[in-house]
Amino acid sequence: MSCINRRDLALLALRAGTGAVLMAHGTQKLFGWFGGAGLDKTAAAMEHMGFTPGRHSALAAGLGETGGGALLVLGLATPAAGAAAAGAMAGAVAVHAPAGFFAQGGGYEYPAFLGFTAAAIGLAGAGRYSLDHATGHTFDQRWMLALAFATSAVAAGAVVTRRARTTADTSQENG
């Protein structure tokens, strides 16, 4: 009989908590659940924040949060799940950055924490109590880790850069 591994149990708790929060946050965008705006209103808000096209941006953010969160909870394709969620949170950090760090002032503290936590789980792996472990790590290979994080970093960088250009162009037109 094997002993319960505290590290693996801690990873399960961290995955479940972080993944559930990300899923709830994403389903607000996609479906309007938990008091969220839903896809159409989120798309309009994204467009207003400089993420164009708004509907694609809302869908990508919602799927990154919901899908990444669900995969983290399950411990399946953990590198891709962590990278997707971290990438989605990078966009949220960009929106909140002008307000400073702390969430109480509208800052980026909360999305940064979620993003770093999701990234750390993706890097650490899901642990023994996961579908990755149950499937022999079929979707948790070293090359997948590198590919997932590189892709997420490039995509997040492109989205944030495009948004910065869009908001700068809008400021110049209005100023």
Side-chain angles (χ1 to χ4, degrees), residues 96 98-111:
H96 292 277
F101 178 73
F102 291 104
Q104 69 193 34
Y108 63 93
E109 171 186 19
Y110 181 65

Side-chain angles (χ1 to χ4, degrees), residues 2-22:
S2 66
C3 216
I4 291 180
N5 184 308
R6 288 177 25 198
R7 180 186 173 277
D8 291 319
L9 193 57
L11 283 169
L12 172 62
L14 188 60
R15 284 190 354 254
T18 304
V21 169
L22 285 162

